[in-house]
Amino acid sequence: MPVPVGILTVSDACSRGLAADTSGPALERLLIDKGGGHWAVVARLVVPDDKQLIAAAVREWCQPLGAAPGGAAGCRLVIIAGGTGISPGDVTVEAIEPLFSKRLWALATAMVIGSLTITPFAALSQVAAGVVGAAVVLAVPGSRKGSVENVQQILSVLPHAVDTAGAQDGTRGLHTSSGTPASKEAPAPVPAPAPGAKCGCARADEAGDGDASAGVPTAHGLSDKLGDSVVRRARKSPYPMTPVSEALDMVLSSVGVGPTASISLGELRPGQVLADDVVALENVPGYRASVMDGYAVVAADGPGVYPVRAAATAGSGEHAEMQPGEVVRVATGAPLPPGADAVVMVEDTELVSSTAQGDEESRVRLLASGQVVAGQHIRPIGYDQQKGAVVLPKYTAITAVGGEIGALATSGNITFAVKSPPTIAVMSTGDEVVDTLAEPFAKYLPFGAIRDSNRPALLAALRALGCPTVDLGVVKDDPDVLASTIRTALETCRGVITTGGVSMGERDWLKSVVEQRLGGKIHFGRVAMKPSKPTTFATVSAGGSQANSEGFVFALPGNPASALVAFHMFVAPAIRKIAGHLLGVDSSDPTRVLGVLRPSVTAVFDSEDIVLDRVRPEYVRGILAWDHTASRWAVRIMDRRQQSSRMANMQSANALISLPVGTDEKPAVLRNELVTAIVIAAVHF
Ligand SMILES: Nc1nc2c(c(=O)[nH]1)N[C@H]1C(S)=C(S)[C@@H](COP(=O)(O)OP(=O)(O)OC[C@H]3O[C@@H](n4cnc5c(N)ncnc54)[C@H](O)[C@@H]3O)O[C@H]1N2
Ligand code: MOO
Ligand SMILES: [Mg+2]
């Protein structure tokens, strides 16, 4: 049995989502690659440089399994990366030393000596090693390189150290070792774990908005335990502030490209993508066709008076061979008689005589004004479509322009291999939310109620992407109903979008429902962005017709602008991936809407200066347009009132202006500065 390991990254920046945690993954990789199968990383966490939080995590992980009411983690090795420098903010060693029942001086020294052979800066790290409960706990520098180099020095002796540490403490755990230094420090408030909980592998750090977490993974993930009273809810969100790019990576690596289906022309819809090249089965035109209404002639005959032979209108059958000295009346699109090599427009002729009944042309004059050149006004065979040529290549997206469906109709194929946008169900949640799509229409709102704007907006946005939709209505804040509605929807739909109930409120149940009722995995529960911070993405094993596949749940924030921004940032790319849109297109050309990600353009900021948020990167709703005078993109803010509760700031928006976190050096974006605009809808020219 591999030995359970916990890896704790201590970093203010990582916990705030402002930097990616690279040492945690690197240490895990080291143990996997070089640990000879001895280790299994069962817990990874990022916490800020906070003594209480570091100690709480170590204490929790080093408890024996089942010792505490559900909180024990049973880790036998804990590696802490970061917070070992000599600045006042580095508190890792101070946090863990009081927990040590035994200091492992020599182990720490071995790490220092080894590292000193690599860099003299190793002398500036306060590495530490000790025993906590039955576990060996190491504190190593926070840099990816430094952390790995230190652990590498002692990797070969670690298995023995861990064995011995377990043996020396008969109680095997902190829990029963009251009186050890560990028990002297008050534990940080930890959300109540479930009975029997053990180390999860979810990361649980905390960041953003100056708050700090006590989150430690439990059997039910990080969410508040359903059934617990409000007094036991987490008072800080245990969900890491995931950087936007990481969140997007998690989404795109969790959803796979959808299946290919063979469908008929009438079933083609905008949003689908061709899964194969479509080859023309026939020439268009399949015959030499007239481009004008007029007369088929022999060009060498030249101007003069000619008898008119049987008329050829489009669709009329084949002609007899044409003779020099005669003309054949033809309509646009009609086949030319064999022998004709040009068409003269009716405007370049005059009637000379008609039949006795006066209902048919007898002779016409080809006027000298009309030049007659061989080949004139004739479409040769295969002019528009060559048999055997690729009409539309694989990855072509079907658009609402109609050109693709038209070209496919012309190709002569009966069926087409396509990937389609998935069926998605949409639900609004909230006791206060009044249905705006179902009868009867609420003419007057009860006090405290709000009309549902999220569901209609999301259903429309999904349809625009080509998704078949299922409307789940408005669901009350009731965990049972929420769970059963989502579960049932996932039997027929690839994914469910909910809005509301994902933040810190006493009736914000979505995360708990996903983890505890649906057995889902929350990949992220908060994103470092403004708006849409509590955006949650989870995968859930589906039943019904979707059995054996994973459904996904996007639990979007209730605030309307937050829900829509999150939709465009995360849901729309997932849908485009499932539908088989080409990955990685030319992002410099925003008119190309192919691709999983919408393109970003650099644009001039054409609005009053805007103060940057100091914690979260912001996605401001804007209108992107081509500035014809200056030949550049310009973007202006839709609506200065960018509150996430205000749906109106999304209207007419075709771009999200991606603004960085503000700093003392760069507190604002000024008019005429360059910004990045993410295109979310058709751009204006
Ligand atoms: N203590 C904290 N409170 C909040 C935090 C936080 O970090 N700590 N985050 C805030 C942020 S940011 C957002 S965004 C919201 C997200 O809230 P929820 O997703 O839990 O959504 P609700 O609480 O259910 O509703 C929020 C808001 O939106 C209105 N709403 C909900 N559904 C709809 C709908 N379908 N149509 C129109 N409006 C809707 C609802 O009435 C509320 O006003 O949490 C903050 N709080
Ligand atoms: O993320 Mo909330 O979406 O800031 O309002
Ligand atoms: Mg809420």
Side-chain angles (χ1 to χ4, degrees), residues 357-658:
Q357 295 83 354
D359 58 355
E360 183 51 281
E361 297 169 336
S362 288
R363 290 186 306 150
V364 292
R365 185 190 311 281
L366 306 185
L367 299 173
S369 58
Q371 283 268 327
V372 186
V373 180
Q376 157 182 306
H377 300 322
I378 294 176
R379 273 187 307 154
I381 292 171
Y383 182 80
D384 298 323
Q385 173 179 289
Q386 198 100 49
K387 184 176 177 178
V390 172
V391 177
L392 293 179
K394 182 176 174 174
Y395 296 126
T396 299
I398 310 295
T399 73
V401 171
E404 302 81 25
I405 293 185
L408 295 174
T410 307
S411 74
N413 289 279
I414 304 171
T415 54
F416 304 90
V418 297
K419 294 190 183 292
S420 298
T423 303
I424 305 289
V426 182
M427 158 205 309
S428 287
T429 75
D431 292 343
E432 81 284 22
V433 179
V434 172
D435 203 331
T436 43
L437 292 174
E439 299 288 343
F441 184 77
K443 261 189 156 173
Y444 307 100
L445 286 182
F447 180 74
I450 185 152
R451 291 191 197 277
D452 179 13
S453 57
N454 296 348
R455 189 170 117 255
L458 290 168
L459 285 167
L462 283 165
R463 284 194 286 264
L465 290 178
C467 292
T469 54
V470 172
D471 181 1
L472 301 175
V474 177
V475 176
K476 297 274 177 218
D477 294 316
D478 176 329
D480 291 334
V481 186
L482 289 167
S484 66
T485 313
I486 296 174
R487 189 182 296 115
T488 308
L490 285 178
E491 288 176 3
T492 51
C493 302
R494 181 77 194 269
V496 174
I497 303 176
T498 67
T499 65
V502 283
S503 193
M504 301 293 292
E506 61 186 288
R507 298 180 75 75
D508 287 343
W509 290 126
L510 255 300
K511 288 173 161 101
S512 306
V513 162
V514 164
E515 287 192 323
Q516 295 161 48
R517 289 286 158 82
L518 302 173
K521 175 178 177 189
I522 292 185
H523 297 262
F524 56 84
R526 285 196 306 164
V527 185
M529 65 188 293
K530 179 183 176 181
S532 320
K533 179 176 73 168
T535 299
T536 298
F537 170 67
T539 44
V540 178
S541 300
S545 66
Q546 303 287 303
N548 305 325
S549 64
E550 281 220 307
F552 58 79
V553 177
F554 280 101
L556 307 183
N559 276 325
S562 311
L564 276 190
V565 169
F567 176 87
H568 289 289
M569 293 291 290
F570 302 111
V571 187
I575 287 168
R576 284 193 287 268
K577 176 166 182 195
I578 294 167
H581 285 256
L582 185 60
L583 279 159
V585 288
D586 176 8
S587 64
S588 62
D589 180 2
T591 58
R592 276 175 69 86
V593 289
L594 302 180
V596 169
L597 300 181
R598 288 299 168 98
S600 297
V601 291
T602 302
V604 166
F605 185 61
D606 186 23
S607 286
E608 289 298 304
D609 306 354
I610 185 168
V611 174
L612 294 170
D613 191 276
R614 289 301 182 109
V615 178
R616 290 179 279 164
E618 191 166 358
Y619 295 84
V620 171
R621 284 67 88 194
I623 296 185
L624 178 69
W626 183 251
D627 175 348
H628 289 276
T629 324
S631 290
R632 61 187 184 184
W633 292 107
V635 67
R636 63 198 155 83
I637 295 187
M638 238 341 288
D639 175 357
R640 292 301 289 193
R641 287 180 289 167
Q642 286 283 312
Q643 294 90 340
S644 59
S645 51
R646 195 174 140 74
M647 184 59 110
N649 58 43
M650 275 306 287
Q651 53 103 9
S652 302
N654 63 357
L656 297 174
I657 309 169
S658 171

Side-chain angles (χ1 to χ4, degrees), residues 51-68:
K51 261 165 82 170
Q52 270 210 332
L53 294 179
I54 299 166
V58 172
R59 186 184 296 111
E60 187 79 17
W61 287 355
C62 295
Q63 284 181 338
L65 276 172

